[in-house]
Amino acid sequence: MKLTERKKLHDDLLIRLHTLYDDIRGNVDEFIYDGPSDWELYYKSKPRILFLLKESWGSHHPSQQGLKINTKHMINLARWKIAIENKINNKPCIFLKRESLPANLDDVARVEIKKINTESKLSSNSDIKKYAINDKDFLREQIELINPQIIICCGGSQLILDCYDIIFENHIKNEKKISDSVWLSNNRIVLDFYHPSTPPSYIESDTDVDVQCYEKLVGLLSNDSVKDAIAWVMSQE
């Protein structure tokens, strides 16, 4: 499938879901548009990384181009993305301060489980799972169109991994676990991990928790079985 066709099908899918929500709820809540912010940059990435997240608020649309790396959320996503690329390419993994990070994060994809902005600064796990159940067909089609090679389930307490399993109908539970928190599912790597705003986003400066999350990811990627699985996934194209 050509990239332009893939992007159009993805955009049409989100418009269809947006229209469905407007028909059901009325035009009362903002619909969040997500996915890759730059499809060409995303498809040139090796590997293609998708961050599966809970919800967006504050009129933040992950599909907008030129997304600045200037919040706790974006800073940690950028660090994690660079760590994955460095580990795959046998380069040193160094915890980068924000001033050493690139200005933008347009070469990854971000998908929100809940696409309705109700300005919920604290997510309800039951609410997020409800959206995963109701929209699983749309979410599954969206993820398949984005076609990631690695999915990072960003939620902690296995919430987003459970949502992934809802979307793909218990696929994780039927697949071989590669190592702690890592699975091979649908010919892609699925990793259960923390939310990028851990600790809360109002703590703007780097904390020990940010370092611990980074080191945890590097440790997971250092497992020989995980490295072999990632290499196999990337060799399929």
Side-chain angles (χ1 to χ4, degrees), residues 97-114:
K97 298 292 185 181
R98 68 171 64 191
E99 57 267 21
S100 300
L101 294 167
N104 306 105
L105 187 63
D106 285 331
D107 52 358
V108 301
R110 289 186 293 154
V111 169
E112 309 286 347
I113 301 292
K114 179 181 176 183

Side-chain angles (χ1 to χ4, degrees), residues 80 95 193-194 207-218:
W80 300 350
F95 182 86
F193 206 58
Y194 304 104
T207 69
D208 289 344
V209 176
D210 294 307
V211 176
Q212 290 165 11
C213 288
Y214 180 86
E215 291 178 346
K216 171 73 171 179
L217 178 61
V218 172

